[in-house]
């Protein structure tokens, strides 16, 4: 804990509550036409969640902020960026849970969207609607137009065929296959890592990070993007469904390649320790301002769900 900044748990709880309020205001009202679609969108986004991606945006913004008299505008822009990554994440979960993808009934401790509404087409459309809303958020950020363009491009590339969606396509095509570790890392850097990395980098872009700060953020983001998936793979075989808030053991049951299936539990935990060290080392040039990013690294790696 950094005594000057206050306890990490209190900071994270505040950020989780704050982004929940931002998203609540941003999403269409449930009663507005088409009401059922809007209800599904709100259900997908506003349920319980760790909000790790939003927290990474805020923490990177804190680490990158340069005093220039525009703090209020930067705060609004960070809210928009944090909301954007949470909307993209929610859309990806809705689609991942569909029968044509991972076919899951449980997400964040609740029925998945297509189960809750008993309507696969509605779930697909809810995800479709969340994605453009994310980019609309970024387009309205009260920062320099050049930075807004950078932010839009960064997120678009992170979630497209060279990022999250491409990684999911590789994942679907890899069921039942024994991938070499290099191929597994490539897939997960796209599927899971790309959006987590974008969350960190968006915080830096919005806050006007220097080139030195951006370099540190990039190295940190690369390590954490991979670490998040390694933790997920470990928890899939060591935690129960109640703790995870989603179906445990699903990857093994579906024959999906994971770090645990390839490296074993001990090897996966050793990799995780190495990634933690990489993340912390990347932040050394940023000094005390990167305190929350350091704490988030430990939180992500030590999480139980």
């Amino acid at each position: 804990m950094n005594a000057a900044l206050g306890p990490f748990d209190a900071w994270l709880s505040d950020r989780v509550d704050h982004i929940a309020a931002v998203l609540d205001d941003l999403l269409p009202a449930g009663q507005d036409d088409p009401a059922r679609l809007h209800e599904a969108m709100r259900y997908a986004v506003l349920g319980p969640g760790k909000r790790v991606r939003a927290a990474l945006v805020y923490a990177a913004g804190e680490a990158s902020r340069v005093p220039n008299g525009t703090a209020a505008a930067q705060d609004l822009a960070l809210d928009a960026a944090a909301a954007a990554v949470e909307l993209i994440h929610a859309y990806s979960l809705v689609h991942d849970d569909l029968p044509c993808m991972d076919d899951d009934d449980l997400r964040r401790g609740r029925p998945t969207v297509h189960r809750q509404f008993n309507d696969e087409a509605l779930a697909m459309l809810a995800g479709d609607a969340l994605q453009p809303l994310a980019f609309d958020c970024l387009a309205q950020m009260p920062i320099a137009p050049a930075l807004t363009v950078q932010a839009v491009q960064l997120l678009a590339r992170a979630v497209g065929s060279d990022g999250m969606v491409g990684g999911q396509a590789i994942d679907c095509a890899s069921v039942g296959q024994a991938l070499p570790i290099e191929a597994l890392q490539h897939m997960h850097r796209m599927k899971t890592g790309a959006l987590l990395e974008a969350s960190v980098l968006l915080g830096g872009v919005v806050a006007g990070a220097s080139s030195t700060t951006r370099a540190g953020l990039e190295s940190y983001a690369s390590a954490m993007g991979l670490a998040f998936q390694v933790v997920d793979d470990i928890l899939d075989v060591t935690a129960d469904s109640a703790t995870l808030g989603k179906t445990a053991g699903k990857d093994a049951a579906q024959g999906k390649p994971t770090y645990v299936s390839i490296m074993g539990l001990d090897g996966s935990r050793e990799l995780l320790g190495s990634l933690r060290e990489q993340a912390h080392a990347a932040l050394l040039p940023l000094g005390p301002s990167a305190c929350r990013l350091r704490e988030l690294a430990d939180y992500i790696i030590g999480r139980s769900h």
Side-chain angles (χ1 to χ4, degrees):
M1 183 190 89
N2 185 310
L5 295 175
F8 171 73
D9 289 348
W11 175 84
L12 182 59
S13 178
D14 174 75
R15 292 298 84 193
V16 169
D17 291 344
H18 180 74
I19 193 58
V22 170
L23 289 165
D24 188 27
D25 289 340
L26 176 70
L27 287 159
Q31 65 269 25
D32 289 353
D33 191 48
R36 200 154 177 266
L37 174 63
H38 291 158
E39 288 173 12
M41 291 167 65
R42 296 182 68 84
Y43 180 87
V45 175
L46 298 178
K50 296 182 289 294
R51 308 298 183 193
V52 167
R53 291 153 189 82
L56 286 168
V57 172
Y58 289 123
E62 290 183 15
S64 307
R65 201 187 292 271
V66 178
N68 58 7
T70 61
Q74 285 183 355
D75 286 344
L76 290 173
L78 286 170
D79 282 347
V85 296
E86 287 296 328
L87 291 169
I88 291 290
H89 181 52
Y91 122 72
S92 73
L93 297 182
V94 173
H95 283 192
D96 283 357
D97 291 335
L98 288 168
C100 62
M101 298 283 279
D102 287 348
D103 191 15
D104 218 327
D105 297 335
L106 190 67
R107 173 67 68 177
R108 292 173 170 172
R110 306 189 305 170
T112 49
V113 175
H114 69 282
R115 291 301 183 196
Q116 176 69 17
F117 291 85
N118 194 30
D119 192 331
E120 292 177 23
L122 180 68
M124 179 71 74
L125 292 171
D128 289 344
L130 292 173
Q131 184 175 187
L133 183 58
F135 289 99
D136 188 36
C137 287
L138 292 184
Q140 297 185 56
M141 292 190 298
I143 55 176
L147 294 180
T148 298
V149 171
Q150 283 185 40
V152 170
Q153 289 180 325
L154 195 161
L155 186 59
R157 290 169 181 167
V159 302
S161 62
D162 290 329
M164 183 183 72
V165 173
Q168 181 66 38
I170 295 172
D171 189 32
C172 290
S174 300
V175 173
Q177 297 185 23
L179 294 182
I181 189 63
E182 295 81 6
L184 184 69
Q185 288 187 349
H186 175 65
M187 175 181 75
H188 284 311
R189 284 196 183 280
M190 294 170 68
K191 180 189 173 187
T192 304
L195 184 56
L196 283 156
E197 291 179 34
S199 301
V200 175
L201 299 180
L202 278 172
V205 167
V206 167
S210 66
S211 58
T212 299
T213 298
R214 286 201 191 194
L217 292 179
E218 287 174 2
S219 181
Y220 170 88
S222 177
M224 294 316 302
L226 196 54
F228 195 95
Q229 184 62 51
V230 177
V231 175
D232 265 4
D233 286 358
I234 291 173
L235 292 177
D236 189 62
V237 298
T238 60
D240 57 35
S241 298
T243 301
L244 290 177
K246 59 183 179 181
T247 306
K250 197 75 181 292
D251 290 339
Q254 293 183 337
K256 287 191 174 184
T258 67
Y259 288 99
V260 175
S261 69
I262 293 175
M263 302 178 69
L265 270 174
D266 289 343
S268 299
R269 286 170 173 151
E270 184 176 342
L271 173 60
L272 204 53
S274 175
L275 291 169
R276 179 185 178 277
E277 290 177 5
Q278 179 184 327
H280 277 263
L283 297 176
L284 287 175
L286 280 64
S289 65
C291 172
R292 295 309 186 196
L293 286 174
R294 293 185 184 91
E295 292 170 331
L296 270 170
D298 293 342
Y299 169 78
I300 289 169
I301 289 172
R303 63 194 171 93
S304 60
H305 63 285

